[in-house]
Amino acid sequence: MSLKLERLPDRTPVRMTVALDPDLAAALTDYAAIYQQAYGEEEKPETLIPAMLEMFLASDAGYKRARRALRDNARNGD
C-alpha cells in the first residue's frame, strides 16, 4: 500500500543529562524570564532548551553540510 504520508519517525524522547556552569544556568533562567515577558507564558529553562538547540543547529550551515556528508559516507560504507 502506498500513502502520501510517510511513516512517522521515532518520536520517543531521549533523556540526556548535562552539567552547566553557573553563568550559563543563570543566563538560561534570565532567558526564561524574558520569554515570559515577551509572550506572557511561563516556561522553565529546561523546556526552552530543546527548542533553542534545534534553532541553533538549524541555523548552522557548516554543521548541516558536515552532517549531510557524514550521512552520505555512512550510506556509502566509507
Side-chain angles (χ1 to χ4, degrees), residues 14-18:
V14 175
R15 188 168 289 280
M16 299 179 104
T17 302
V18 297

Side-chain angles (χ1 to χ4, degrees), residues 69-78:
L70 182 69
R71 289 181 169 183
D72 288 346
N73 288 340
R75 270 187 238 126
N76 295 329
D78 294 344

Side-chain angles (χ1 to χ4, degrees), residues 31-78:
Y31 193 96
I34 295 165
Y35 180 94
Q36 182 177 10
Q37 291 174 0
Y39 298 110
E41 297 177 17
E42 183 177 357
E43 297 289 351
K44 293 182 179 183
E46 54 269 27
T47 304
L48 296 173
I49 290 170
M52 295 167 83
L53 289 172
E54 283 184 51
M55 182 177 282
F56 173 80
L57 293 174
S59 68
D60 189 330
Y63 162 75
K64 288 191 279 190
R65 279 191 302 277
R67 187 173 191 210
R68 196 168 25 254
L70 182 69
R71 289 181 169 183
D72 288 346
N73 288 340
R75 270 187 238 126
N76 295 329
D78 294 344

